[in-house]
Amino acid sequence: MKPKKEAFISEDAKKVVKKEMAQMKKAVTVVAVMSAEQNKPFNEFCRKLLTELSTLSDKIKPVFEAPGSAAARKYGITRTPTLLVEPDRYAIRFTGAPAGEEARTFLLAVLMASTGNTVLSELSRERLSALKDKRNVKVFVSPTCPYCPQQALLAVCAAIEKKDLISTEIIEIHENKDLAKQYNAFSVPQVFIDDSLVGLGLQPEEVFIEEILTAAPVKATAYTGTGSTEMDLVVVGAGPAGLTAAIYAERSGMKTVVIEKGNIGGQVAITPVVENYPGFTRIGGKTLMDMMAQQAIQYTEIHEGEEVLDLEKKDDLFTVRTSRASYTAKALLLTTGAQSRKLGVPGETEFQGKGVSYCASCDGYFFKDGKKVIVVGGGNTAATEALYLKNIGVDVTIVHRRDTLRAELFLQKSLAEQHIPILWNAEVKEIRGGKFVTGVVLENVADQTTSTLTVDGVFVAIGYVPSNELAVKLGVATDDEGYIRVDKGHRTNVTGVYAAGDITGGFKQIVTAVGQGSLAATTIFEDIANPYWKTGTAAS
Ligand code: NAP
């Protein structure tokens, strides 16, 4: 008996793709320039992907071309694999295989090219209509970066909305290391407009649209709309606490919206592997957050890429102005989490995106062929990131300022099993380099001697600092470290403002965050139904 030929796309994924592609209207030609000699596994990946996709929808029409063919010359393609989505109508190019996280972006690009409809907000579409000049958008991505698909998707949307003016290229850095080097793009996502860097990391949708209009970096956008949407609860932040709170709030009947300036998932989405979240011995952070988001979306609205610009309280009502809309709400829940703590040493800012990174799953891929990196820190994050980097083929060493790790023993055991070296009692004093990182200066804290270590990358994993700007704006009380103070029902000192998750400090675990989210939602429901500040019942 002949062995059964294994399908490239799993049966489950096929079902999902088939359902999504049923929405296609016009047929979409995908021109794939491929070579049998260079980049073999990635060319092979594209051939299999396109061949199987065309069996799932008769509206997907792959056309395979060789480098140097008339079509390759017509579109100026010299690299393989390169995929063009409906090139006679749109200028959307994937340079490198759309693998991993980028596969979904590619499918959405095909779907949107077919319908002509994008996922951009009405406001963004309106702003884009003012564009008069041509723009070329390049987004550097990696297959494991959880932030990249959202940024790439926005760029594809722009190319569909302004098809005569905007060309978009999604560039996979590992397959196109020379391009990444040429653009100094060692961290992803990175956005270049007309070959100038405008954005490092995922940007809110409105910021990105302004960057296309101005072809320059933009810090923030101002809300220019009128009118407001009436909500019971606005949740700021779509990490585990925010998503869980929204599920509980909507189920108890509160009209709720979740506003997230980046992408869904918070810090967990960039955690390569989450260990021991009940129900899962090990699960990818992005996968876990995708599952939570899928569940939450069944109940509540989640607005990704929308930034809260201003918050105001008048009488018992809050006004929340975002980059896209204005909302009124009876209650506010802050689940804004925390952001990576910086080392604060010379070279750190200068080399961010040029070898200094705070996200191994985003940027580790670039170092995977035995490049030498250090992970700084001694907690669970440092251990998890070091294990991930080792696993994808990076030469990794942990640098820790003490002689013991604070990471869980289970993770410490894994570090030993994987033979990951640890430099004890070592503090990074400086990060050095030219165009990119070339080394670090270390100080031995025991005897104050210094030494240099040659490395290609520095992954900083030294904990988090609270993202408390909005809380401070509202007059919410925080502790000495900036974490929001809450009572046991998750009320803050400002009536109607609640907080949950990492922003409240303490034990920062996903299980804790989801527990706090549900508890906060329950308190909010009870408080709105029976306002303790009106009835005189004191908050406990
Ligand atoms: P953390 O537990 O606060 O550890 C931070 C580490 O960085 C510590 O070892 C600390 O050193 C070191 N550090 C702090 N400031 C430094 C500086 N300026 N220079 C050099 N080193 C510095 O932070 P984390 O590892 O990011 O973890 C945060 C939370 O997430 C924890 O609750 C953790 O359990 C959780 N987490 C869980 C998982 C999981 O899979 N379950 C995975 C990742 C994170 P000292 O030890 O000397 O203070």
Side-chain angles (χ1 to χ4, degrees):
M1 206 170 71
K2 264 188 172 176
K4 212 173 143 203
K5 218 174 137 201
E6 213 172 289
F8 180 67
I9 305 175
S10 72
E11 289 308 315
D12 284 351
K14 273 186 186 168
K15 275 187 208 145
V16 177
V17 172
K18 223 171 175 171
K19 199 169 154 207
E20 287 205 19
M21 292 303 145
Q23 301 169 53
M24 284 179 78
K25 290 205 168 101
K26 288 185 188 161
V28 171
T29 300
V30 179
V31 174
V33 179
M34 305 206 301
S35 149
E37 282 90 45
Q38 350 160 294
N39 264 345
K40 220 170 160 189
F42 303 106
N43 278 289
E44 196 48 30
F45 172 93
C46 289
R47 184 178 299 282
K48 283 183 179 163
L49 177 73
L50 292 174
T51 308
E52 284 202 14
L53 285 178
S54 65
T55 65
L56 300 179
S57 167
D58 59 3
K59 293 203 166 68
I60 301 178
K61 311 273 186 204
V63 176
F64 298 106
E65 297 283 352
S69 66
R73 287 202 308 276
K74 176 178 167 189
Y75 299 114
I77 299 170
T78 52
R79 291 167 184 275
T80 70
T82 292
L83 306 184
L84 304 176
V85 178
E86 190 57 19
D88 288 341
R89 264 188 292 153
Y90 302 112
I92 303 167
R93 176 179 300 209
F94 285 78
T95 302
E101 298 288 343
E102 238 46 67
R104 186 164 165 74
T105 313
F106 173 71
L107 285 175
L108 286 172
V110 171
L111 181 59
M112 293 190 303
S114 171
T115 61
N117 299 326
T118 71
V119 294
L120 287 186
S121 70
E122 210 180 305
L123 200 69
S124 297
R125 291 206 300 272
E126 248 175 63
R127 290 292 295 141
L128 269 186
S129 63
L131 184 70
K132 296 285 175 280
D133 302 313
K134 286 198 167 189
R135 295 279 188 264
N136 171 258
V137 182
K138 288 187 178 67
V139 184
F140 286 84
V141 300
S142 80
T144 51
C145 158
Y147 295 129
C148 291
Q150 174 74 1
Q151 191 65 68
L153 184 65
L154 292 176
V156 169
C157 289
I160 290 176
E161 292 290 347
K162 292 297 268 184
K163 61 180 165 35
D164 300 326
L165 294 178
I166 300 176
S167 56
T168 283
E169 185 176 6
I170 313 299
I171 303 168
E172 202 287 301
I173 56 167
H174 185 67
E175 289 169 59
N176 297 282
K177 286 198 177 103
D178 57 327
L179 272 183
K181 264 193 181 142
Q182 185 186 329
Y183 283 84
N184 281 354
F186 271 7
S187 91
V188 287
Q190 270 196 55
V191 180
F192 291 78
I193 294 179
D194 295 342
D195 284 342
S196 295
L197 175 67
V198 294
L200 201 63
L202 174 64
Q203 297 148 85
E205 180 178 316
E206 286 72 22
V207 169
F208 174 62
I209 298 298
E210 285 308 305
E211 285 168 349
I212 292 182
L213 290 170
T214 57
V218 170
K219 278 239 158 353
T221 51
Y223 171 64
T224 50
T226 52
S228 70
T229 310
E230 285 175 25
M231 310 302 296
D232 291 314
L233 171 65
V234 170
V235 178
V236 189
L243 293 181
T244 311
I247 294 173
Y248 274 73
E250 284 279 3
R251 284 177 64 105
S252 44
M254 286 188 275
K255 198 175 169 207
T256 303
V257 63
V258 184
I259 314 281
E260 167 59 60
K261 75 171 174 180
N263 58 341
I264 294 174
Q267 291 291 339
V268 183
I270 62 164
T271 303
V273 178
V274 171
E275 303 217 356
N276 271 329
Y277 181 74
F280 304 93
T281 310
R282 285 166 65 81
I283 185 168
K286 176 77 166 56
T287 311
L288 179 62
M289 291 320 299
D290 282 349
M291 288 163 74
M292 275 195 208
Q294 284 302 322
Q295 187 185 349
I297 275 166
Q298 293 176 35
Y299 300 101
T300 188
E301 275 182 48
I302 307 173
H303 296 187
E304 246 179 321
E306 181 170 343
E307 186 172 13
V308 174
L309 303 173
D310 199 18
L311 292 162
E312 207 186 338
K313 187 179 180 198
K314 213 170 179 193
D315 303 324
D316 279 346
L317 214 57
F318 294 91
T319 303
V320 181
R321 277 185 208 90
T322 73
S323 50
R324 210 172 293 170
S326 176
Y327 306 86
T328 57
K330 295 174 187 157
L332 264 184
L333 175 62
L334 301 176
T335 59
T336 44
Q339 50 203 298
S340 303
R341 186 191 300 278
K342 302 268 167 23
L343 276 167
V345 299
E348 184 179 21
T349 309
E350 188 188 341
F351 292 109
Q352 187 174 345
K354 297 170 189 158
V356 172
S357 172
Y358 303 85
C359 173
S361 54
C362 306
D363 305 328
Y365 216 71
F366 198 80
F367 301 90
K368 84 187 191 82
D369 294 325
K371 286 215 171 110
K372 200 172 163 55
V373 307
I374 55 167
V375 171
V376 189
N380 279 348
T381 304
T384 310
E385 302 227 329
L387 287 164
Y388 168 78
L389 290 166
K390 175 81 181 185
N391 191 37
I392 61 168
V394 182
D395 177 355
V396 58
T397 300
I398 290 180
V399 171
H400 183 39
R401 65 182 179 185
R402 289 194 297 137
D403 59 1
T404 48
L405 297 175
R406 72 164 71 194
E408 285 167 14
L409 282 180
F410 188 81
L411 288 170
Q412 295 194 33
K413 220 172 128 206
S414 302
L415 291 173
E417 279 163 10
Q418 294 298 317
H419 307 291
I420 295 175
I422 303 174
L423 287 180
W424 302 107
N425 298 316
E427 255 180 16
V428 175
K429 288 290 168 192
E430 189 184 341
I431 299 169
R432 288 183 176 168
K435 248 180 157 182
F436 314 107
V437 166
T438 55
V440 287
V441 178
L442 300 177
E443 183 182 284
N444 182 320
V445 293
D447 59 15
Q448 275 79 50
T449 52
T450 58
S451 60
T452 55
L453 185 69
T454 303
V455 290
D456 304 300
V458 178
F459 286 84
V460 181
I462 57 168
Y464 300 98
V465 288
S467 301
N468 62 10
E469 300 80 5
L470 294 173
V472 170
K473 220 176 205 176
L474 276 169
V476 168
T478 59
D479 66 16
D480 292 345
E481 290 178 73
Y483 291 104
I484 296 178
R485 288 182 197 278
V486 288
D487 71 7
K488 63 183 181 193
H490 288 270
R491 302 176 184 95
T492 70
N493 62 312
V494 178
T495 305
V497 181
Y498 302 76
D502 282 1
I503 185 66
T504 61
F507 191 49
K508 296 189 204 73
Q509 294 287 319
I510 309 166
V511 278
T512 324
V514 299
Q516 292 182 358
S518 66
L519 184 53
T522 310
T523 310
I524 295 165
F525 175 73
E526 284 167 4
D527 286 353
I528 288 179
N530 176 28
Y532 63 87
W533 56 96
K534 285 187 179 159
T535 58
T537 324
S540 51

